[in-house]
Amino acid sequence: MNLFDFSQQIGKFKKDKKYQEALAFFKENKKGFSREQIAGNEYIISDMLTCLRKSSLNEAGFKFLNYYGIEINSNTKERIQSSYGWLLWSQYKAENQLQHSPEDDYHFEDEDENQEVQDVHYSKSDLIKKIEEVITYLMKLKNDFNNTLISNLFSIVLKTEKKKAAPNWKLVNDFCNQFDPAVLSRSCDTIQVKRKGQLKDMELASDYENWYTYKSKALMKLGEWQECFETSKEGLEKIKKFHYSNDIWFSRRIALSKKNLGNTDETIEELHTILRKKKEWFIQKELAELYLEKGDAEKAFKVSIDAINNYGPLEFKVDLLFLMGKIHHLKNKSELAFKHFSLAKLIRLQEEWKIPQKLHIELSDFQYPEIPLTDIKGLKKELINYWKSFANKPVNEKRSLQLKGKVTKILNDNERGKNGFLDSNGQEFYFSVPTNFHLTADISIGTSILFTIVPGVDGNKEKAKILKLLSKKYES
């Protein structure tokens, strides 16, 4: 048997998916050839790496390369680079015991989002270094086969890290920096998922979209606000079609970046716009925090009530409970403040989570007896009833009334009409009017109006319906 026949037979076993037979054949016949002859044949090396990987013998694959003195660098044959890349992919998957379904990506954002800046220190593993290194080689070889491998290496590292209880966002950010998003695939795969007993098609985000998603979120978590703003804005502008409500999350990160760069008023406006599209409790919490920072306890209270009554497990809302404790304290409702702080502490105790020092400090200011963990069920019930009393009664009363208010903001004034916000006794309401509405031309900042409250469309927040303009003498 000559070297060509030896290589051909291994290739045939691999093509027929007879990986064990290929390994046995190589072992039996390799003595007929020198180490240099085998090392110099890119087909034998690449096929053997594939057969070892397919046989779950990743470590043996790396030892095979070492034994035959194969170095992976920019001059390594493309076929070997690719097989090596897939070996790294398989090893990373095995080391992280990854059982990943594409559907896992459908809900990218976590409901317990917090903006604490993460510790930026981490030790990069040798495997990550090797993956980053081979990616730089593969990206110079532009073809569909390598693009698939690059996509898999890109996805497995980022998605594995995100699935961890405490993702290392510095690692995510550094890994994203290995890629030029412009060269990542923009194609969107479709999978079938079961919904209410029926299989339905679901389109997944492209690698291009995922790069902006992971990169901007990592920057947010790391407190790199200027770059987070620029990356999120670029994602909004360049991505043609969004998945998993990513347009909302990019908008949110833009708003939070503005907040942390010192532009509170613009942030409030941005968050109101986001909430009209997607009413999430943690976005409402961020809005309530901003109102509290501005010293507007009443608006902070109203938005925090909306947030606590919104969908989402109460266990995720411990920081919101802390915020509500501060709001009630400012409103001189000390007993309610104490109960909100206490519930935040008891939930953390029940879940065996760390109790932050700021919570201990707040609770130490009260003279009330400590509420034991055994009373958590009763405390939850009491506060839930308290929150619900604001969720139902005021809305129904307002809808039966005609209210007076003053226009405070105009967001858009164009061929489609006008929209903005008006203020009525310290409460802010959104309004929109079409071009052909008979009062549209006369509505401007400072205009006093008579309005009523109507439900929002498709489950969105309630809005003001303008009835008529009032005398300029009226002050809201």
Side-chain angles (χ1 to χ4, degrees), residues 276 279 399 430 453-464:
R276 286 194 294 276
K279 194 175 180 181
R399 286 180 184 165
Y430 172 75
I453 303 297
V454 296
V457 180
D458 296 329
N460 288 331
K461 196 175 181 182
E462 62 191 17
K463 59 183 286 189

Side-chain angles (χ1 to χ4, degrees), residues 309 314 336 339 343 346-347 375-389:
N309 283 319
L314 189 58
L336 279 167
K339 288 179 177 178
L343 184 55
L346 294 178
I347 288 174
D375 290 351
I376 187 172
K377 188 174 180 181
L379 181 59
K380 275 185 184 180
K381 185 175 181 181
E382 178 186 345
L383 288 179
I384 287 171
N385 288 334
Y386 168 69
W387 302 327
K388 284 184 176 178
S389 70

Side-chain angles (χ1 to χ4, degrees), residues 58 69 135 191-192 243 290 374 451 457 460:
N58 298 327
I135 283 170
I191 62 168
Q192 283 201 323
H243 301 76
L290 288 173
T374 52
F451 69 99
V457 180
N460 288 331

Side-chain angles (χ1 to χ4, degrees), residues 77-303:
K77 297 288 188 180
E78 179 182 347
R79 184 179 295 274
I80 297 175
Q81 283 184 4
S82 296
S83 297
Y84 175 71
W86 282 112
L87 185 65
L88 292 174
W89 174 85
S90 182
Q91 181 68 4
Y92 192 90
K93 182 178 179 181
E95 285 189 8
N96 290 276
Q97 299 180 331
L98 185 64
Q99 294 179 341
H100 176 74
S101 163
E103 192 178 355
D104 293 344
D105 305 323
Y106 192 67
H107 300 291
F108 185 86
E109 294 292 326
D110 302 315
E111 290 187 330
D112 59 341
E113 287 274 299
N114 65 76
Q115 305 314 318
E116 294 179 6
V117 176
Q118 191 190 62
D119 182 5
V120 298
H121 300 290
Y122 76 98
S123 178
K124 188 182 293 185
S125 71
D126 287 339
L127 186 56
I128 289 283
K129 291 177 183 176
K130 289 175 181 177
I131 289 174
E132 290 179 346
E133 189 177 62
V134 79
I135 283 170
T136 62
Y137 306 146
L138 293 169
M139 292 185 84
K140 295 176 182 177
L141 306 169
K142 296 185 181 298
N143 58 58
D144 291 340
F145 184 77
N146 281 333
N147 288 342
T148 301
L149 173 54
I150 291 168
S151 176
N152 276 270
L153 289 170
F154 170 79
S155 298
I156 199 168
V157 173
L158 295 179
K159 291 175 182 177
T160 299
E161 193 62 34
K162 184 201 169 287
K163 285 167 71 72
K164 293 179 181 178
N168 191 312
W169 292 103
K170 179 66 164 60
L171 186 153
V172 171
N173 183 56
D174 289 351
F175 191 75
C176 284
N177 288 341
Q178 302 298 315
F179 296 84
D180 175 0
V183 304
L184 291 173
S185 171
R186 304 192 189 200
S187 63
C188 300
D189 293 333
T190 300
I191 62 168
Q192 283 201 323
V193 296
K194 187 169 280 189
R195 294 280 186 271
K196 297 180 180 179
Q198 291 186 330
L199 285 175
K200 294 186 177 180
D201 287 341
M202 185 180 80
E203 190 174 85
L204 303 175
S206 66
D207 293 337
Y208 182 74
E209 183 178 351
N210 279 332
W211 185 91
Y212 280 99
T213 304
Y214 281 96
K215 175 70 175 174
S216 60
K217 184 164 184 175
L219 291 167
M220 178 186 75
K221 290 290 189 180
L222 296 169
E224 299 288 347
W225 296 112
Q226 186 61 46
E227 192 178 354
C228 178
F229 172 81
E230 293 166 359
T231 303
S232 302
K233 189 169 182 291
E234 187 176 298
L236 270 180
E237 292 170 351
K238 291 189 173 183
I239 297 168
K240 303 302 181 186
K241 182 181 179 182
F242 295 95
H243 301 76
Y244 329 139
S245 300
N246 274 334
D247 53 334
I248 300 297
W249 308 128
F250 288 136
S251 299
R252 175 173 177 257
R253 288 172 200 143
I254 289 171
L256 293 177
S257 297
K258 287 182 177 180
K259 170 192 170 185
N260 285 277
L261 292 170
N263 204 330
T264 301
D265 289 335
E266 278 192 34
T267 307
I268 289 174
E269 190 174 305
E270 293 267 8
L271 291 179
H272 273 296
T273 302
I274 293 168
L275 285 169
R276 286 194 294 276
K277 298 177 182 177
K278 196 170 186 69
K279 194 175 180 181
E280 296 283 359
W281 72 263
F282 51 85
I283 299 178
Q284 291 169 322
K285 168 185 166 286
E286 288 159 356
L287 183 59
E289 287 173 333
L290 288 173
Y291 278 129
L292 192 62
E293 285 178 20
K294 287 174 67 70
D296 195 334
E298 286 304 320
K299 284 185 179 179
F301 172 76
K302 181 182 181 303
V303 178

